[in-house]
Amino acid sequence: SGNGAREARDPSSPLKRFAQAKDAIRRAFQHLSERLAESQSFLQAAQLGSDGGGVSSLVQRTQEIQKVLSRDRMKVAFFGRTSNGKSSVINALLHGRVLPVGIGHTTNCFCSVVGGEGSEGYLLIGDSPEKRSVKSLQQLAHSLSSQHLDPSELVRIFWPKTKCPLLAEDVEFVDSPGVDMNANIDDWITKHCLDADVFVLVSNAESTLMNAEKNFFHRVSERISKPNVFILNNRWDASDSSDLAEGGEEGEGGEGIDSAGPRLMEQVMQQHLERDIKFLTGELSVTDEQTASHRVFFVSAKEVLHYRLRKHQRSADPGQGLAPGYRARLQNFEQFERRFKECLSSSAIHTKFEQHHKQGQTVVGELSQLLANQDSLLRQRREEVRIELGACQSRAQQLAQNKPSLVASGDHLVSMAMGQVGSFQSKALRD
Ligand code: GTP
Ligand code: MG
């Protein structure tokens, strides 16, 4: 279909590495569980313990890891103040209007978007197993606003993978309410952040980073060692226009675009960049300066979505109607996508699979210890059987060797008996 589908299916997508690693580790565990089953039936057959000599608990542990493994996803969470464009950024990444977007306080609880099978989306709220079908964005928005949900509650949106191919790549997007909404930040972090691989701070390019945003990330980095944080200076298009207005009087706006506007924009961008880098390095200490400079972007989520939707509709000029300079913002967004995908897949492989790898190694170690123990038990049994067999053999040999004398003494006994019988007979005849 459109560009989005092609892009998301890009075979060189960094996200593919996660899928490859997941497949490799899944096969390794499959192999391990087959070896465990073999060991179990062998030990049961050898009658070395009713539970297959302790293999059962290893089988159980391996099955649990396999279950967790099948659910593993790359998780990216978005935070920032109300109306900065968190939901808009996720929609732009998904090439579609999936999450409700609007002025004022729109997202009122945590919303996770993952890929679902089938052609229709559905919702799961909190721990309830009830699936609510979502056919449209309006329906979703209505469903969310009518629920009176606690802000830290999680609504899981299963959106058709066929509509957003990025969702077929095992990515989970987590949208949040504004960090300025008197939130119970610690609760949020415990419930939604501890297993996130990447955090995206969506800031408003028209202002600077606010304390509410900074504090939130300080708390995150207290709980997670060196979280991966990206900063999106969103609404860069709006900053652009306001600067243009400053560029001159009415009617001279065109001149502003070419002269004062871009220079001023450059200065503002430089200022944001320096502050954002300082925040990531000096204040949060989550990364070095070199990496930090690749973690800050100047974008317009609204424009990216507009552009992408129009491209899907095969518009001849998808950028029509967008503010001047949109191409650079679009490119910056694409750069952000590339970098965050790389970071996401390598972080997820590292944090999620390394743990399984370690657990798998422990199972293998315990299995080999168990087999070694059983092996020595088997050797002992074999030795006992060998000794018993030896004793039987020598008794048999003894018996075989004694056979002639036994026969002779038997014959002797018989002849003695016959003699007795003979003398009885003659005695009887005489009498
Ligand atoms: P809450 O859910 O309320 O916390 O807000 P949010 O951060 O999810 O913001 P949302 O995506 O709902 O966007 C808020 C408003 O800003 C909407 O009207 C968007 O259309 C608009 N908006 C988002 N991104 C941009 C952008 O890059 N440029 C411009 N001009 N407007 C934007
Ligand atoms: Mg929102």
Side-chain angles (χ1 to χ4, degrees), residues 76-319:
V76 50
F78 296 77
F79 292 95
R81 283 167 57 245
T82 310
S83 287
N84 279 3
K86 302 174 290 296
S87 307
S88 301
V89 169
I90 298 178
N91 286 345
L93 286 165
L94 293 175
H95 293 244
R97 291 199 174 95
V98 179
L99 292 165
V101 158
I103 41 174
H105 175 43
T106 306
T107 308
N108 58 353
C109 68
F110 275 77
C111 292
S112 139
V113 187
V114 294
E117 308 303 332
S119 58
E120 274 183 21
Y122 62 89
L123 288 183
L124 288 178
I125 299 179
D127 296 325
S128 161
E130 190 197 338
K131 283 187 186 178
R132 293 157 204 257
S133 129
V134 214
K135 289 196 179 68
S136 66
L137 188 64
Q138 284 83 351
Q139 206 182 4
L140 172 61
H142 176 74
S143 205
L144 292 180
S145 61
S146 63
Q147 290 294 317
H148 303 293
L149 297 162
D150 183 88
S152 69
E153 183 99 60
L154 180 70
V155 169
R156 280 179 291 159
I157 303 166
F158 295 81
W159 200 251
K161 290 178 185 174
T162 46
K163 287 190 187 166
C164 296
L166 188 58
L167 292 175
E169 299 207 64
D170 271 346
V171 184
E172 176 180 4
F173 294 89
V174 176
D175 194 8
S176 62
V179 284
D180 49 333
M181 298 303 294
N182 294 325
N184 183 349
I185 299 292
D186 291 323
D187 196 30
W188 282 16
I189 295 173
T190 309
K191 282 188 180 157
H192 307 292
C193 298
L194 299 181
D195 63 342
D197 298 295
V198 168
F199 293 88
V200 179
L201 164 54
V202 181
S203 109
N204 185 346
E206 292 161 293
S207 64
T208 52
L209 281 183
M210 297 283 175
N211 278 339
E213 291 162 325
K214 288 188 169 187
N215 285 342
F216 176 77
F217 280 95
H218 276 293
R219 298 293 266 277
V220 169
S221 68
E222 278 166 20
R223 301 283 297 276
I224 303 172
S225 100
K226 304 230 180 294
N228 297 304
V229 184
F230 284 74
I231 302 181
L232 288 185
N233 290 283
N234 191 38
R235 296 174 153 271
W236 194 230
D237 57 322
S239 316
D240 222 339
S241 331
S242 59
D243 287 329
L244 292 178
E246 276 174 37
E249 293 158 22
E250 257 207 310
E252 288 175 3
E255 214 175 87
I257 297 168
D258 298 321
S259 53
R263 266 206 308 280
L264 196 64
M265 289 300 298
E266 191 57 44
Q267 281 171 10
V268 177
M269 185 187 262
Q270 204 51 40
Q271 198 183 55
H272 277 317
L273 191 62
E274 278 166 20
R275 285 188 185 166
D276 293 348
I277 291 176
K278 194 168 145 265
F279 175 60
L280 294 177
T281 56
E283 296 177 40
L284 280 185
S285 303
V286 291
T287 183
D288 56 61
E289 205 148 314
Q290 164 92 27
T291 315
S293 64
H294 297 304
R295 295 265 171 103
V296 180
F297 300 89
F298 294 83
V299 300
S300 166
K302 193 176 172 177
E303 281 181 346
V304 174
L305 183 62
H306 171 99
Y307 187 90
R308 289 181 172 179
L309 289 176
R310 286 183 52 113
K311 198 149 184 187
H312 284 284
Q313 293 156 1
R314 301 182 185 281
S315 156
D317 180 13

Side-chain angles (χ1 to χ4, degrees), residues 348-377:
I349 290 170
H350 189 69
T351 56
K352 307 222 151 77
F353 298 156
E354 201 169 85
Q355 218 177 10
H356 299 326
H357 176 230
K358 272 191 198 140
Q359 290 170 324
Q361 271 184 325
T362 315
V363 170
V364 171
E366 285 179 32
L367 176 67
S368 67
Q369 185 59 49
L370 222 131
L371 290 177
N373 292 346
Q374 304 294 10
D375 189 44
S376 69
L377 211 73

